[in-house]
Amino acid sequence: MPLQRSKRRDDAVDKIRTINWFRCIGDHLDIYIPREIQRFLQPGKTGTGVNSIRNNRYLEYSEGKHVPRPDLVEHADRLVDGSSWELNHVLWSVLRCSGPIHGKEHKWIRELSGDIPTIVIEANNVIRLRGDRHYLGSFERRASLDSLTALTILLRMNHERQDFEQVWECAKSIFRVLLMIGNDLNERCIGALMFDLYAERVFCLARYNGNRIYAEKSNYPAMSRVLYELAEHLREKNSHVKDRKSKNHYLIQILSSVQIGEFFQPLIGPDLDIGAPTKAYSEWLSVRNSETAEY
């Protein structure tokens, strides 16, 4: 992907992607102190004091307050292969786009890795917009930033064509994928930020049959942590040797469980923009919030 930044700033998106980039480099070093990251990337520009960070720039990177320059990103990528991918992933362009995405979708999808593009784009170069649970489940089984991006593009495209049923189904799959990759996002210190951004810009588009998804009522850090821990327990119970390739298999097993899968569902209720909630719904929401708060 070209090492360049968009000229149009988006503080919410830029904060997430910059922290993600900084933490990626920190993962490589197994240390996340700004001055140590600076010493690794720019050993000749660390200043004179023990705690000196020239212009506090690396402290700003760690907090997502300033996007690194393209030349620094390129230099860092030579030292930490793939770090530029974390900063310039196509997902950030998708989330930044506030207007119609028509005309951009093919380019975005082709930038995704693995077999995601072949799943989305059919032989006649047409993007497959609708699909059953098997189709949407294929993205969940490949839960990653790339599958999340594909689902987000499909949701936006279906919203533009006013296929609100498919928007609804895409939104539920996005919710599950966000939970499945939540442990990774939380470890990068961007989990809550990412989920809040999706609640504000993506889940708000999911309105169907008089209902909407109340993503903002979900305790995402807790839900994603519990899901990860349960899946790890199940995986260790069923295998003597940990197989990281099968991680998503166990996550999906938990999400599909009749006994506990309900805990990981998004809050759904009447769309208050078209009518007041019923007494029964208000009571249900109160109980659900109490149950979630226990975790």
Side-chain angles (χ1 to χ4, degrees), residues 5-11 14 64-67 96:
R5 293 179 295 173
S6 171
K7 293 181 179 180
R8 184 166 62 84
R9 284 190 56 80
D10 184 317
D11 290 339
D14 286 341
K65 294 180 178 179
H66 189 88
V67 180
R96 178 185 284 114

Side-chain angles (χ1 to χ4, degrees), residues 1-4 17 73 84-90 92:
M1 184 179 297
L3 297 176
Q4 59 185 8
R17 71 190 189 100
V73 175
S84 66
W85 181 89
E86 305 284 358
L87 182 73
N88 295 315
H89 194 279
V90 67
W92 314 130

Side-chain angles (χ1 to χ4, degrees), residues 28-251:
H28 177 78
L29 299 174
D30 198 25
I31 191 169
Y32 306 94
I33 300 173
R35 68 173 179 271
E36 296 299 331
I37 302 293
Q38 183 182 23
R39 285 170 179 160
F40 172 68
L41 295 181
Q42 298 177 295
K45 299 182 180 180
T46 56
T48 57
V50 174
N51 296 312
S52 176
I53 302 174
R54 188 181 296 268
N55 297 326
N56 289 323
R57 187 52 56 87
Y58 280 78
L59 180 60
E60 292 179 345
Y61 296 154
S62 71
E63 299 172 348
K65 294 180 178 179
H66 189 88
V67 180
R69 302 185 315 275
D71 60 334
L72 177 59
V73 175
E74 185 173 6
H75 172 67
D77 198 59
R78 288 194 290 268
L79 299 176
V80 182
D81 186 37
S83 58
S84 66
W85 181 89
E86 305 284 358
L87 182 73
N88 295 315
H89 194 279
V90 67
L91 176 62
W92 314 130
S93 297
V94 176
L95 291 174
R96 178 185 284 114
C97 184
S98 58
I101 68 171
H102 180 69
K104 306 180 182 75
E105 61 271 35
H106 280 85
K107 176 180 181 298
W108 284 341
I109 290 171
R110 289 195 177 95
E111 290 184 34
L112 301 176
S113 61
D115 57 353
I116 297 293
T118 61
I119 294 173
V120 180
I121 301 178
E122 299 180 320
N124 55 0
N125 202 37
V126 172
I127 293 175
R128 182 180 177 185
L129 294 174
R130 300 191 105 260
D132 55 14
R133 279 301 307 149
H134 180 74
Y135 178 53
L136 296 177
S138 64
F139 300 107
E140 296 171 25
R141 291 189 292 274
R142 295 164 174 79
S144 63
L145 280 186
D146 288 295
S147 69
L148 179 66
T149 303
L151 284 167
T152 306
I153 293 171
L154 292 176
L155 183 148
R156 290 285 303 275
M157 292 178 68
N158 278 297
H159 187 265
E160 289 180 15
R161 64 198 292 265
Q162 298 186 6
D163 186 344
F164 300 119
E165 180 182 9
Q166 195 65 19
V167 169
W168 187 260
E169 295 303 321
C170 287
K172 290 191 293 183
S173 280
I174 287 172
F175 191 90
R176 285 189 284 268
V177 170
L178 280 170
L179 287 179
M180 292 174 69
I181 66 175
N183 186 67
D184 295 333
L185 298 180
N186 291 335
E187 288 187 346
R188 288 281 177 89
C189 299
I190 60 172
L193 292 171
M194 178 83 90
F195 191 81
D196 288 347
L197 188 62
Y198 263 84
E200 178 185 343
R201 301 187 184 184
V202 180
F203 290 126
C204 63
L205 302 177
R207 298 167 185 262
Y208 182 62
N209 275 351
N211 292 319
R212 59 158 289 198
I213 292 177
Y214 287 87
E216 66 275 13
K217 300 293 185 180
S218 300
N219 188 341
Y220 174 75
M223 292 174 70
S224 56
R225 183 182 69 252
V226 171
L227 175 63
Y228 172 77
E229 291 174 353
L230 287 173
E232 284 294 287
H233 175 74
L234 182 62
R235 187 150 62 97
E236 291 176 1
K237 180 180 179 181
N238 288 277
S239 176
H240 295 295
V241 179
K242 286 190 174 184
D243 180 6
R244 290 294 169 187
K245 292 182 180 179
S246 66
K247 176 180 67 174
N248 287 347
H249 169 77
Y250 292 104
L251 290 168

